[in-house]
Amino acid sequence: MDKEEFEKAVDLFGILTKTSKKELKQKYLKLSKKYHPDTPTGSDEKFQELKESYELLLNYIDNYKFSFEEDEFKKQYPSFTNYKNWNI
């Protein structure tokens, strides 16, 4: 996945803020009805793009890790490794 593919997928689903897997699935189902090849507004190409975008975003949600653990924080923000007032 590169940034351009990710941004295209986010635009396709109309995501403006954070979203849950449940919300993403609801949007996918709604859009899949719109773009399904058997509907007047659908096409094989757009439906395939939707499916790939959904899988990309779902994979991102599943693999995104954010933690407030000290070790994870230090990996994400190495400039804070010498922070004097670190409280556990």
Side-chain angles (χ1 to χ4, degrees):
M1 160 177 53
D2 65 11
K3 188 171 190 272
E4 187 176 308
E5 288 175 326
F6 179 76
E7 288 175 348
K8 188 175 180 181
V10 169
D11 287 342
L12 180 63
F13 277 84
I15 298 171
L16 300 175
T17 60
K18 65 182 179 179
T19 190
S20 68
K21 288 171 78 172
K22 182 179 178 181
E23 292 168 330
L24 183 65
K25 185 174 183 178
Q26 289 171 344
K27 288 182 182 192
Y28 172 72
L29 293 174
K30 183 178 179 181
L31 290 170
S32 66
K33 289 178 186 176
K34 179 179 179 180
Y35 294 124
H36 194 276
D38 294 340
T39 64
T41 59
S43 73
D44 288 329
E45 183 180 304
K46 195 69 172 177
F47 189 72
Q48 185 64 30
E49 179 185 346
L50 178 68
K51 182 180 174 195
E52 290 170 2
S53 295
Y54 175 69
E55 290 171 359
L56 185 142
L57 292 172
L58 195 59
N59 186 35
Y60 179 79
I61 289 172
D62 286 340
N63 293 314
Y64 181 75
K65 182 178 176 187
F66 187 82
S67 172
F68 287 104
E69 300 289 324
E70 182 179 2
D71 291 338
E72 184 63 31
F73 182 84
K74 286 179 178 180
K75 279 189 226 174
Q76 292 179 24
Y77 303 99
S79 61
F80 281 93
T81 54
N82 294 324
Y83 192 68
K84 294 177 185 176
N85 296 323
W86 187 265
N87 294 320
I88 296 177

